[in-house]
């Protein structure tokens, strides 16, 4: 098949480094990571690569391949491509054109390969020298091989519908479309069925699917967060809080007139984060797990694997909060059911590709959301460490107008009580951050409206209560709130840039 043509590469990397250098740089980076077992798993998971359907298997030049999708590179890029492509989801690497002068380069590149390597040789001498070093040889103008320079996912998936055809991308495709191109093509070529509706769930819990249990965890987290907010805006302290402290609200206020407001600000921020986690889990359940996206289950799993163990922070703080413990005990079995039960077969519906400027703006938005999620994770880790050690940061003590020793003199249990709230908030923030980061990294597809609204709802639930409560109690130190302001700006900008892409309408399914 003839090459598909595409407009000149306009990526930022190409503009700075040039096309050839940007291709080599990208492949070298992926090869450096993918050549190590841990790195290969990171790439495979990071770009959502999963086992392709059996219908996409086939052969090229008599060589069996797991998926009829690969890359064609010149000898100068062979070493990097052979090490980077398998984790990305490619099924084969073609090195072409190869002359006698390139034989040694190709030999070294193919050594220890984990992916089939075929060669298009320029002369018989090169072919003879490489017969025992590569898996097969292709020919010019092979009618069953399509060399593509167009990053169109839809076009590549359409060509794969021909059972004997192998699609080989040029390196420029990955530079223009990103290393997730292979996974997106496989998704577009995967047969899917309609996703189940909420009403399809029966009354027997033994038959409930994984996504239903994940949904219950999300709704449970949302309810727990709203309940925590109601308590904080009402009595602030429950009976077990007063029993642990040995103090009433009036006594706390008398000891330091900022102390009750400080406790409220910690607990409202924590409650908002819990609602944010609930929104993320609900979105992952209904929009992702229900429709068979493997990465949605993994995002749910990894976020919960961070969040649930933070219950054991009490081993450091010494304060066991009954409601926190009860919530974890109720939700954890549902969480386990959500990640252990078999997933549905693929049931997603992909939207057609849109304008290139729309996609490029969405990629910038994706980057902003990933950076925000990573920053929130670091912030949560720092808050957890501070909560389990020093408890207060300088701006906290400035707001309270006192020191840690003075607070300890009020009650020896006051600082551990604050530490429990502070560390718990840090753990919850890390859990939310993992879900935000992975949803942004793995779920960024055109027409996935639920991704936009899940992230927007989670952002509103997490950021707005924090800003409002700090303003209400007049704890408005700019340095203290700078990460919140930065997160709002990054998230808002990212979602605005990506909204036309994420909220594009998917085609309606034909009626039976």
């Amino acid at each position: 098949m003839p090459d598909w043509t595409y407009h000149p590469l306009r990526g930022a990397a190409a503009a700075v480094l040039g096309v050839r250098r940007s291709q080599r740089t990208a492949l070298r980076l992926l090869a450096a990571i993918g050549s190590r077992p841990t790195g290969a798993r990171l790439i495979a998971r990071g770009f959502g690569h999963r086992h392709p359907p059996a219908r996409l298997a086939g052969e090229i030049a008599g060589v069996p391949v797991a998926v009829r999708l690969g890359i064609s590179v010149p000898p100068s890029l062979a070493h990097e491509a052979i090490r980077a492509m398998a984790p990305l989801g490619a099924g084969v690497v073609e090195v072409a054109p190869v002359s006698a002068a390139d034989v040694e380069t190709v030999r070294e590149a193919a050594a220890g390969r984990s992916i089939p390597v075929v060669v298009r040789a320029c002369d018989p001498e090169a072919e003879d020298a490489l017969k025992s070093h590569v898996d097969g040889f292709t020919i010019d103008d092979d009618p069953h091989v399509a060399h593509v320079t167009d990053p169109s996912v839809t076009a590549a998936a359409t060509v794969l519908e021909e059972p004997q055809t192998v699609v080989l991308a040029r390196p420029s495709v990955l530079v223009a479309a990103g290393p997730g191109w292979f996974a997106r093509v496989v998704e577009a070529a995967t047969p899917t069925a309609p996703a189940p509706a909420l009403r399809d769930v029966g009354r027997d819990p033994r038959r409930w699917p994984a996504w239903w249990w994940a949904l219950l965890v999300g709704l449970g987290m949302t309810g727990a967060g709203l309940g925590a907010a109601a308590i904080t805006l009402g009595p602030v302290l429950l009976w077990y809080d007063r029993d642990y402290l040995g103090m009433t609200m009036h006594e706390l206020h008398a000891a330091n007139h900022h102390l009750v407001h400080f406790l409220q600000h910690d607990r409202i921020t924590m409650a908002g984060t819990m609602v944010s986690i609930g929104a993320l889990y609900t979105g992952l359940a209904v929009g992702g797990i229900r429709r068979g996206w493997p990465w949605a289950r993994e995002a749910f799993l990894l976020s919960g694997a961070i969040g649930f163990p933070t219950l054991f922070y009490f081993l450091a703080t010494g304060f066991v909060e009954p409601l926190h413990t009860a919530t974890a005990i109720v939700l954890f079995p549902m969480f386990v059911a959500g990640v252990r039960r078999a997933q549905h077969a693929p049931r997603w519906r992909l939207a057609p590709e849109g304008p290139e400027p729309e996609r490029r703006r969405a990629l910038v938005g994706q980057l902003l959301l990933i950076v925000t999620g990573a920053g929130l994770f670091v912030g949560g880790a720092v808050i957890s460490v501070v909560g389990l050690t020093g408890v207060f940061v300088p701006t906290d003590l400035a707001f309270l107008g006192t020191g840690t020793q003075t607070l300890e003199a009020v009650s020896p249990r006051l600082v551990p009580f604050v530490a429990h709230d502070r560390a718990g908030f840090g753990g919850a923030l890390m859990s939310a951050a993992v879900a935000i980061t992975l949803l942004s990294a793995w779920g960024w597809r055109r027409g996935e409206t639920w991704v936009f609204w899940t992230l927007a709802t989670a952002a509103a639930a997490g950021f707005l209560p924090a800003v409002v409560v700090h303003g209400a109690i007049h704890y408005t130190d700019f340095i203290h709130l700078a990460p919140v302001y930065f997160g709002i700006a990054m998230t808002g900008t990212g979602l605005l840039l990506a909204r036309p892409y994420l909220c594009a309408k998917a085609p309606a399914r034909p009626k039976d």
Side-chain angles (χ1 to χ4, degrees), residues 18-33:
V19 174
R20 287 183 178 273
R21 189 173 297 178
S22 65
Q23 293 171 0
R24 181 180 292 276
T25 300
L27 287 174
R28 278 181 174 172
L29 176 61
L30 291 170
I33 301 173

Side-chain angles (χ1 to χ4, degrees), residues 81-250:
I82 290 170
R83 280 149 186 78
M85 289 302 108
L88 292 177
V92 62
V93 172
E94 180 193 57
V95 185
V98 176
S99 65
D102 302 313
V103 167
E104 189 59 32
T105 298
V106 176
R107 280 179 181 171
E108 294 178 0
R113 61 192 176 278
S114 59
I115 186 173
V117 175
V118 296
V119 164
R120 179 151 44 91
C122 296
D123 50 63
E125 180 183 354
E127 184 170 332
D128 289 340
L130 289 172
K131 278 184 179 178
S132 60
H133 298 278
V134 298
D135 298 291
F137 296 90
T138 54
I139 60 175
D140 290 326
D141 301 322
D142 188 332
H144 298 304
V145 177
H147 290 86
V148 305
T149 55
D150 185 340
S152 170
V153 169
T154 303
T158 300
V159 174
L160 283 176
E161 293 294 327
E162 301 178 29
Q164 304 300 320
T165 301
V166 178
V167 174
L168 297 178
R170 300 296 188 189
S172 59
V173 170
L174 299 191
V175 177
W181 184 80
F182 294 110
R184 294 198 298 274
V185 172
V186 170
E187 289 168 0
T190 299
T192 63
L198 288 171
R199 62 177 178 273
D200 294 336
V201 178
R203 295 186 178 182
D204 186 352
R206 295 171 298 178
R207 298 179 182 273
W208 286 353
W211 70 269
W212 182 250
W213 289 107
L215 173 61
L216 289 179
V217 177
L219 296 177
M221 286 296 298
T222 300
L226 294 175
I231 292 170
T232 304
L233 295 174
V236 183
L237 301 180
L238 294 179
W239 73 94
Y240 56 77
D241 295 321
R242 296 191 294 269
D243 289 345
Y244 176 80
L245 287 170
M247 299 179 70
T248 65
M249 286 277 293
H250 294 296

Side-chain angles (χ1 to χ4, degrees), residues 153 184 187-189 291 293 348-352 445-446 448 506-507:
V153 169
R184 294 198 298 274
E187 289 168 0
R291 296 165 64 204
W293 291 110
W348 56 75
R349 186 68 170 171
L350 300 179
R445 290 162 177 80
R446 191 168 189 268
E448 297 299 307

